[in-house]
Amino acid sequence: MKVGGLDRHLVSAAILQPAMFGPENFAGDEWVESYMRAASRLLDLEVRTYVTWQCPPDVFVLAAEDAGLVIRSERLDGLLVEMLTLHDVQSLLGGQLLEEVSQSAVLRWMSEFLIGYRRPALAVTALRNRPSLDGLQVQIHHAFRDELLDSRPLLERTAVQCISVGHEMRHLVEDVDARYDVWENIDGIPVISHIDFDMRNVDKVDDDSLQRFHAFVSSTVDATRLVKEIHADLFAVDTVLEFCLRAFDCRSEDAVRSTLAAFETLVFTYFLKNACRLVAELSTGSKRRDEFDRALVLENLQWVARGRAVARHIGLSWAQFDNSTPEGALIAARQNVARVDAMITERLAGRLANNRAFDHAVQALLDTLERSGKEQITVAEALAHVDSDGDLRKELYFMLVGFGCPGSVDVRTYLEDADRTVHTVQA
Amino acid sequence: MGLDRMPGRSYAGLMGELVLTLETDAVASDDLRHALAEGTVGHVSAARKSHLDGSAETVILIVQVATLAASSVPTILLPFLNRKRVRKFKCGDIEIENPTPEQVEQLWERCMKAQAEG
């Protein structure tokens, strides 16, 4: 089916070249389609959905005059599913093996995002920094989308596919003029309490230090954006949880577990993508190193707040699903918030390994950048590595096939084009 | 009928038109939208773009420019280009990221020429 009228211009303008796009027909994803229909009705929103391919993982929304447009790349769902698989693999590993498997996956994803931010030299560097896992039969990445999606149980896979869409759809109805500060209440608790939780409960800092921290947060965090993101997160987890319960007739605990895992996956994906955007901005000189460091700290604070707000909210929602009386729900709420905390703790070792892998990966990329922000490795040098290293070329080739590029795709040409600022638009 | 635009209509379609696509940051989008609508007698459609990575919202502008007013486009865009408010500029089969005034002028010339030649 062809895309006509204004949508064609809007989507074409919004996607990265040389990406292609068309109306999403949800082939093999009928549960995602069903979720989107339900979420659209709930939000009283006309939504048209497009799928893009030949591009890195991404999802975004366009608030057009007559409808909301949701544009998802084919690759995004696959990447989220890979993260779920990594969680499982990590639970079987320890020591150096855990570190190297996590580093390998994180660097591969960063490489994809860096291609998306048109930094092919950094993308090649990230891929070359991966530890060798020769001889280890760990199948986290698949080149083919269907194979990848089928590798996970339906409940988990649906939750992870729907949560990013639900989050983005909620943004379509947000009040663009609304303004918030860090004292805004979410489920009866101010956002700042999620941000300073560790300082109060783990570090047990004194009141003066806490006040100084509050002043720092108030003056640096974009509270309006943070609160709007939390609103979108809460809508996504609520609707995905309820959808899974109704669609799959599963135990509420399983639906909660899958929704929580989906959100956790989303958090790490977003964080990784944001960090790659910051590295890209540093490498082009549009951010200085001190600005980069500060932005990364603020990203961290943002995700801490969002993660805590969502974890608490899921516990409260769970109580309502399982109890028809207010009294029962009130008692269950306390218990369920604690049960959700326990679920989060189950994947702690893997999460910490991912964080260490991220720190390691970012440090290695920063080492390739000069103080001025210029890349030490040029695109020509990166392409020379691609030409001379068959394994690297093969890795990049399967990455591009995973993006939805045709089998005839030429790695060198794709990377060269990613480096240009002037692009020829696909017909 | 005076020179006021008809509600919801553009004169562009009556006189031949060029379609120009811009991506701009949200701060400048209203000013740019008004400047283009007034300066080109064209119709401007806008859509907010929110991204997965939480980066600052941008706005996509689709501008149908009447060919008679087309030559004014680079001049209208100049202050926005100088302030680096335009992230993408697209016309015909070419797209430029973070365009300079010179690049916009060259590409726009090319688009006007292609339009004139039919």
Side-chain angles (χ1 to χ4, degrees):
Chain A
M1 191 166 64
K2 283 207 140 197
V3 184
L6 193 56
D7 280 12
R8 182 168 59 86
H9 289 297
L10 285 174
V11 181
S12 170
I15 61 175
L16 279 174
Q17 296 307 324
M20 311 284 279
F21 70 97
E24 172 68 280
N25 64 9
F26 296 99
D29 287 337
E30 67 267 34
W31 291 112
V32 184
E33 183 179 18
S34 173
Y35 168 80
M36 285 189 74
R37 271 204 310 270
S40 305
R41 277 202 302 273
L42 204 59
L43 296 169
D44 193 17
L45 188 67
E46 165 91 13
V47 173
R48 292 191 289 275
T49 310
Y50 295 95
V51 62
T52 61
W53 62 96
Q54 297 192 25
C55 57
D58 205 359
V59 59
F60 57 90
V61 288
L62 294 175
E65 283 156 7
D66 67 328
L69 310 184
V70 177
I71 296 109
R72 335 158 58 213
S73 77
E74 270 191 352
R75 173 62 187 141
L76 181 72
D77 287 351
L79 186 144
L80 295 172
V81 163
E82 285 175 356
M83 285 197 178
L84 287 178
T85 305
L86 179 67
H87 285 318
D88 286 358
V89 171
Q90 285 171 326
S91 68
L92 304 171
L93 304 175
Q96 191 59 21
L97 207 49
L98 172 64
E99 301 302 312
E100 293 195 354
V101 168
S102 307
Q103 281 173 22
S104 177
V106 166
L107 280 161
R108 154 78 188 246
W109 293 323
M110 289 180 80
S111 180
E112 296 189 28
F113 287 132
L114 287 165
I115 289 177
Y117 287 117
R118 300 195 187 283
R119 310 308 305 159
L122 287 174
V124 168
T125 304
L127 217 48
R128 293 184 74 230
N129 287 341
R130 292 176 77 190
S132 167
L133 299 180
D134 284 351
L136 193 63
Q137 297 297 314
V138 178
Q139 184 78 12
I140 293 171
H141 312 286
H142 298 253
F144 302 106
R145 185 174 183 271
D146 292 349
E147 184 187 43
L148 187 56
L149 296 180
D150 286 345
S151 69
R152 302 301 306 183
L154 190 59
L155 174 60
E156 275 186 13
R157 166 189 157 173
T158 304
V160 87
Q161 284 183 282
C162 292
I163 205 151
S164 61
V165 178
H167 175 98
E168 294 304 322
M169 286 174 73
R170 177 60 177 75
H171 277 309
L172 286 168
V173 296
E174 74 192 8
D175 178 359
V176 288
D177 297 323
R179 294 289 174 265
Y180 301 102
D181 59 31
V182 290
W183 298 96
E184 178 70 18
N185 274 333
I186 303 285
D187 290 325
I189 289 186
V191 172
I192 189 79
S193 297
H194 292 303
I195 299 176
D196 70 9
F197 183 88
D198 283 342
M199 290 189 82
R200 284 184 290 110
N201 295 289
V202 181
D203 303 333
K204 300 199 183 295
V205 299
D206 58 49
D207 284 351
D208 281 353
S209 303
L210 202 58
Q211 278 183 7
R212 278 201 301 277
F213 181 67
H214 286 176
F216 166 76
V217 169
S218 297
S219 64
T220 51
V221 169
D222 181 347
T224 293
R225 188 185 124 201
L226 176 56
V227 170
K228 287 180 178 179
E229 294 296 336
I230 292 174
H231 287 160
D233 290 338
L234 301 190
F235 173 81
V237 294
D238 270 348
T239 49
V240 169
L241 181 57
E242 182 158 6
F243 181 79
C244 287
L245 276 168
R246 290 177 193 275
F248 302 116
D249 194 25
C250 56
R251 292 188 313 155
S252 59
E253 184 173 339
D254 293 334
V256 167
R257 195 180 291 278
S258 294
T259 305
L260 199 60
F263 183 74
E264 216 175 277
T265 304
L266 197 70
V267 165
F268 194 62
T269 308
Y270 280 36
F271 179 68
L272 216 50
K273 193 164 192 280
N274 287 3
C276 288
R277 174 170 52 82
L278 295 175
V279 170
E281 288 172 357
L282 183 66
S283 75
T284 56
S286 58
K287 265 205 171 42
R288 295 189 316 266
R289 179 58 197 265
D290 60 323
E291 292 172 326
F292 168 86
D293 290 338
R294 189 184 176 91
L296 206 55
V297 168
L298 292 176
E299 277 300 324
N300 235 322
L301 291 181
Q302 181 203 168
W303 293 112
V304 166
R306 289 173 64 176
R308 288 197 189 284
V310 162
R312 184 165 184 277
H313 186 80
I314 288 185
L316 299 175
S317 295
W318 186 6
Q320 283 170 2
F321 284 123
D322 273 1
N323 289 276
S324 53
T325 65
E327 293 82 5
L330 202 61
I331 294 163
R334 273 182 179 278
Q335 294 168 342
N336 286 353
V337 169
R339 286 164 79 188
V340 168
D341 284 345
M343 285 181 186
I344 292 171
T345 310
E346 283 169 16
R347 284 187 293 275
L348 184 64
R351 250 193 336 273
L352 292 176
N354 286 344
N355 292 346
R356 285 192 298 272
F358 167 79
D359 287 341
H360 182 269
V362 167
Q363 193 52 55
L365 286 174
L366 293 178
D367 288 346
T368 69
L369 299 173
E370 293 173 344
R371 275 184 182 278
S372 64
K374 257 181 82 182
E375 285 167 56
Q376 284 183 340
I377 175 173
T378 64
V379 177
E381 285 165 341
L383 290 173
H385 288 303
V386 173
D387 289 339
S388 63
D389 183 342
D391 288 340
L392 179 67
R393 198 165 55 247
K394 195 166 97 181
E395 189 74 44
L396 283 161
Y397 172 78
F398 282 115
M399 186 191 286
L400 299 185
V401 171
F403 288 174
C405 293
S408 57
V409 65
D410 182 70
V411 171
R412 176 178 250 282
T413 307
Y414 192 99
L415 294 181
E416 275 178 328
D417 188 62
D419 187 51
R420 294 197 186 101
T421 58
V422 180
H423 306 273
T424 303
V425 180
Q426 300 268 332
Chain B
M1 189 189 299
L3 288 175
D4 295 335
R5 270 180 54 194
M6 288 181 284
R9 288 279 310 270
S10 159
Y11 291 146
L14 305 175
M15 300 184 283
E17 66 178 25
L18 282 162
V19 177
L20 158 69
T21 307
L22 298 162
E23 183 170 348
T24 173
D25 59 32
V27 180
S29 66
D30 277 351
D31 289 347
L32 184 52
R33 185 179 183 172
H34 289 130
L36 285 165
E38 283 176 19
T40 66
V41 206
H43 181 76
V44 186
S45 302
R48 280 186 298 120
K49 180 184 177 191
S50 307
H51 230 268
L52 175 150
D53 65 9
S55 51
E57 201 172 75
T58 57
V59 176
I60 308 276
L61 299 176
I62 309 290
V63 194
Q64 293 166 274
V65 185
T67 44
L68 288 176
S71 58
S72 62
V73 166
T75 312
I76 296 167
L77 291 180
L78 188 63
F80 298 93
L81 293 165
N82 284 337
R83 294 203 308 270
K84 309 239 180 270
R85 296 297 192 197
V86 180
R87 306 267 182 99
K88 262 194 215 176
F89 177 93
K90 187 177 139 195
C91 180
D93 61 353
I94 303 283
E95 173 187 290
I96 306 173
E97 289 177 52
N98 303 316
T100 63
E102 295 73 29
Q103 284 174 318
V104 165
E105 199 156 330
Q106 278 175 12
L107 178 54
W108 192 242
E109 278 285 332
R110 186 186 135 142
C111 290
M112 285 196 300
K113 199 172 162 204
Q115 165 76 11
E117 289 168 356

